[in-house]
Amino acid sequence: MFAYHNRLARVNLSKERVTYKELPDEIIRKFIGGKGLGYYLIYREVPPGTDPLSEANKFVFATGGLTGLIPGSSKVIAVSKSPETRLISDSSGGDAFGPKLKGHFDALIIEGKAEEPVYLYVHDGEVEIRDASHLWGKGNYEVARKLWKEHPKASVAMIGPAGERLSRIANVIYDTERASGRGGLGAVLGSKKVKAVVVEPGEKPKVANPEEFQKLWQEFYDHFATDPKYEHTRNYGTSDGVRSSASLGMSPAYNFSRPYIPEELAEKLSGDEVKKYEVEPEWFVHGKSCPIKCARYVEVEYKGRKIRVKPEYESIAMLGAATGVFNFPAVAYFNWIVNNLGLDSIATGATIAWLFEMVEKGLITEEEIGFPVKGFGDEDAEERLIKLMAERKGFGAILADGVKRACERLGRGCEFAVHVKGMESPAWDPRGRRTYALSYATADVGASHLRGWPRPHQLPNQGPAKELVPSMIEGRDESYLTDMLGTCKFVSYKMEDLARFYSLATGEEWTVEKLRKVAQVVESIARIHDALDWVTPPLDDTIPPRWWEPEPDGPAEGNKAFIDYNDFLEARREFYRLRGWHEELGVPLPETMEELGYPEFREDAERALEVVKKRMGL
């Protein structure tokens, strides 16, 4: 099939064996690639109830249908069963790893467990299992330097010490500055003793209509690179987000207790402040071919040490505003540390912010923590806690698996632990946007800002949340499709544009409606699998207590995430109905899977309905 190699590589670490298999066109048409293909493979091969850190779990790197083929299409999607949430979970990553992997395979499946640390070397359409004993225990920046010395043209996906120690908020880092951050997927690779995956450039798949495709490529590249509409993004990237979120009453500041903060405070972590430290990117910092170039590469000096890092809004906000640290060099340094140690910056910041609030409220003592912690704004404590979390040492062992497990271990503070289904919230407080909390409550992976933004932007008290559910579903489908096609969400393609590109690439007719159907199917099979595992949607599709507190001040003053609990239930019911799921139980209906043209999932949908009914005593 054009735009694909139609190849899967499977690495069985227990047997030290690599096999290659044809990926049938039929599966590509049903699941496209990236997130869709990854979810299909995990659904089929990792049964509900599997321990995420056991040999039975599998890890998939899946490239998108258009990865490396159109402007802003660098994404690879990491998919596995999450050690943090026990849900099928995916997290996209950028830089050159995705396009280079696409030169060899459409997906790489890692299964079993190695006896000793290994890294996988992908080259010439093959995968080698190599010894990584000399890399184990080392930070990501050092590992990358060592591997690039041996493989100077390769791209590297790797885990840090946090992944080795099975932290349930460990991530996968690509080429030192990009991450598949959410869900603790780095711990899955750690459990399998995989330190890194090294991928050499391969052969880019051919497209069906090269002349017309190249013409369209140039048209869109020029549009994104010159249109004044994208000037702010080209100039600041996501780094101006702290100011934006604060002005909307959507900031995570002080563990989501102050969603509005004054502009002069927000600016200490925003646009122009970040640009003061901007430097020319290193050779390994990719994105040079992207028309948007949304991330800033900076050099800061902190405590006498110079570091370089590529911070994004989510990292700046969660390691800075959420913890009450409004000193950009400190926050950039924390970002560098989590990259080096292999921790999810969102989850790390959220967990430390929660601890700081515990200290502020007098719910934990210095004796319990083991050293002085002042509370919000304590830079020294934050640095020390990040390192202890990655090492699983001292109090860091309590925090190493995220905020939900931390509050449960201590037996207190769970009422202001901000997460959904065990995954920490990203840096957007939903009390500043109508219906947005429903996106968090129902997202397949837990709290995620990448599962649909309702439109238009209104406050929760401006009308019933139910009214904006259709727009949230549209946004969710669009997000799913970018993750299936391998494109970046900051390169603002319309769905019609992507359908046109994908049709020219594959030589087959793809409409927006057809693409959206695949998105609905992928979300539905995730929900079926998770319901058969542990999720009881009427009880688990919910939001944390913090978001039921009215905002204290700012533009969203007095707003909660929903007008009231009934407003939330009505909106959730509407979402289930429009998705073709049981309106009360939140499980895909068997007839929906038939109507979508995926009857092979009908029987599992029936079983999932019965399981949830039984749990609910119905």
Side-chain angles (χ1 to χ4, degrees), residues 263-393:
E263 187 165 354
E264 58 269 22
L265 185 59
E267 283 176 347
K268 292 183 177 183
L269 295 178
S270 293
D272 290 327
E273 179 66 21
V274 175
K275 281 190 76 69
K276 285 182 191 175
Y277 302 93
E278 189 171 2
V279 293
E280 186 67 24
E282 308 276 4
W283 67 269
F284 55 81
V285 177
H286 298 282
K288 295 178 179 65
S289 64
C290 179
I292 299 292
K293 298 176 176 63
C294 71
R296 310 270 70 86
Y297 190 62
V298 302
E299 180 180 85
V300 302
E301 185 171 336
Y302 183 69
K303 293 185 176 179
R305 180 173 187 176
K306 276 189 180 178
I307 59 97
R308 290 187 169 196
V309 72
K310 195 177 182 182
E312 293 279 7
Y313 164 68
E314 294 292 333
S315 300
I316 296 170
M318 296 308 296
L319 294 169
T323 62
V325 173
F326 288 88
N327 173 12
F328 180 71
V331 175
Y333 179 59
F334 299 156
N335 197 162
W336 185 91
I337 297 173
V338 296
N339 282 3
N340 192 44
L341 299 177
L343 284 167
D344 173 16
S345 59
I346 294 175
T348 302
T351 306
I352 293 172
W354 167 82
L355 177 66
F356 282 0
E357 184 168 352
M358 291 274 286
V359 171
E360 297 262 343
K361 288 183 174 347
L363 295 175
I364 192 164
T365 65
E366 182 180 319
E367 288 73 30
E368 287 178 283
I369 299 172
F371 55 91
V373 176
K374 298 170 189 171
F376 291 122
D378 191 337
E379 295 175 18
D380 292 340
E382 181 162 353
E383 178 184 358
R384 191 167 179 181
L385 286 164
I386 291 170
K387 292 174 180 176
L388 288 173
M389 288 166 73
E391 294 166 354
R392 276 198 186 275
K393 287 184 178 175

Side-chain angles (χ1 to χ4, degrees), residues 501-519:
F501 262 123
Y502 194 54
S503 298
L504 289 173
T506 60
E508 300 183 357
E509 175 93 30
W510 282 86
T511 62
V512 173
E513 183 183 4
K514 191 174 173 182
L515 288 169
R516 286 192 186 279
K517 183 181 78 169
V518 181

Side-chain angles (χ1 to χ4, degrees), residues 428-446:
W428 295 94
D429 192 307
R431 290 173 288 180
R433 188 165 187 141
R434 184 180 170 198
T435 315
Y436 187 39
L438 184 71
S439 188
Y440 286 141
T442 59
D444 49 12
V445 295

Side-chain angles (χ1 to χ4, degrees), residues 402-415:
V403 74
K404 178 178 184 289
R405 285 177 173 82
C407 78
E408 289 171 349
R409 284 166 181 164
L410 288 178
R412 68 200 101 132
C414 289
E415 66 275 17

